[in-house]
Amino acid sequence: SLSSKVLGKKNCDAYIPASFLGEPVGFVNEEALVRYLKDGVKCRSLRAARVVILPGVTHLPDESVAALKKLEREGVAILAVGSALEFDDFGRPRGETPWQSCSEGDLHSVFDCLVSERDKWNLPRRPRLVQPVYGIETHGYEKDGVCRLSICNHLRGSAEIELPSEGVDLISGKKVAKRFKLAPLMPLFVEYRK
């Protein structure tokens, strides 16, 4: 929120850890929340949302909080990361947040918290790694029992990852084992059967 940027203590980053979960990530601002509350109109990110992550959102207008509560009643999970919703947009203390919170920390600890909460979010099953790995970004889709998964290692070193089954890298044409080490900055586009 804008007021969190101006009045808050520090910014908490959850976008980077969330991008390594293998799920689409979008953004929702205060204006979109208020519009949804007043008119029932959901922006693109809210239409598909199964979870809203509040990364260090210390200050938020009451209308935006009401919109989050409305989303929660509709089955959208709300997760605070770090200090959350301590104040309204004028800096007046609000009291305790009604939502589950991940403690603020480095990007790895935020990622670990998001992974531990992920199964509670009622996410659609889409092709992804057996277990998310920090630094490994994936995007996948399935059609007729064939899964395609783009994978990229953003780390400076190799990372061990596991697919649901062995497959083929569609870029090189080489077979890909179920468990393998992925070199840094090495993209793969893997096809495997469910």
Side-chain angles (χ1 to χ4, degrees):
S1 77
L2 179 60
S3 51
S4 290
K5 293 271 189 207
V6 174
L7 301 171
K9 299 172 196 149
K10 70 176 195 170
N11 193 15
C12 173
D13 191 357
Y15 175 77
I16 291 171
S19 68
F20 299 139
L21 292 176
E23 303 295 338
V25 177
F27 295 93
V28 177
N29 61 22
E30 293 171 26
E31 182 181 322
L33 287 171
V34 171
R35 187 166 154 219
Y36 162 64
L37 179 67
K38 290 183 175 180
D39 304 331
V41 176
K42 289 184 178 180
C43 67
R44 183 177 178 206
S45 291
L46 279 180
R47 284 193 300 268
R50 301 291 173 100
V51 62
V52 173
I53 299 170
L54 306 170
V57 179
T58 56
H59 298 70
L60 197 65
D62 291 337
E63 286 182 314
S64 298
V65 173
L68 291 170
K69 288 179 179 178
K70 182 178 177 184
L71 284 167
E72 186 177 44
R73 286 190 301 273
E74 294 176 0
V76 175
I78 310 294
L79 179 71
V81 177
S83 300
L85 307 180
E86 296 173 333
F87 307 95
D88 69 10
D89 50 333
F90 295 105
R92 295 180 293 230
R94 175 173 276 122
E96 292 195 25
T97 177
W99 294 296
Q100 170 69 34
S101 180
C102 288
S103 59
E104 203 166 347
D106 64 10
L107 296 177
H108 290 272
S109 62
V110 172
F111 173 77
D112 291 342
C113 179
L114 295 177
V115 169
S116 71
E117 294 293 318
R118 182 180 70 166
D119 290 339
K120 300 175 187 173
W121 298 338
N122 193 29
L123 298 170
R125 294 300 300 167
R126 61 176 43 89
R128 60 184 182 198
L129 301 178
V130 170
Q131 180 68 24
V133 177
Y134 182 84
I136 307 300
E137 187 174 4
T138 64
H139 299 280
Y141 69 94
E142 176 198 345
K143 185 172 181 180
D144 300 327
V146 176
C147 300
R148 292 189 176 96
L149 187 64
S150 65
I151 308 169
C152 186
N153 178 356
H154 293 279
L155 302 172
R156 293 175 191 234
S158 296
E160 189 163 314
I161 61 175
E162 184 176 357
L163 297 169
S165 65
E166 56 186 35
V168 175
D169 177 16
L170 296 176
I171 297 172
S172 67
K174 295 180 182 177
K175 287 186 178 183
V176 177
K178 184 176 176 178
R179 290 182 67 97
F180 64 97
K181 283 194 180 243
L182 183 60
L185 301 176
M186 185 64 168
L188 288 178
F189 188 43
V190 178
E191 179 179 274
Y192 63 90
R193 296 221 169 258
K194 235 177 157 179

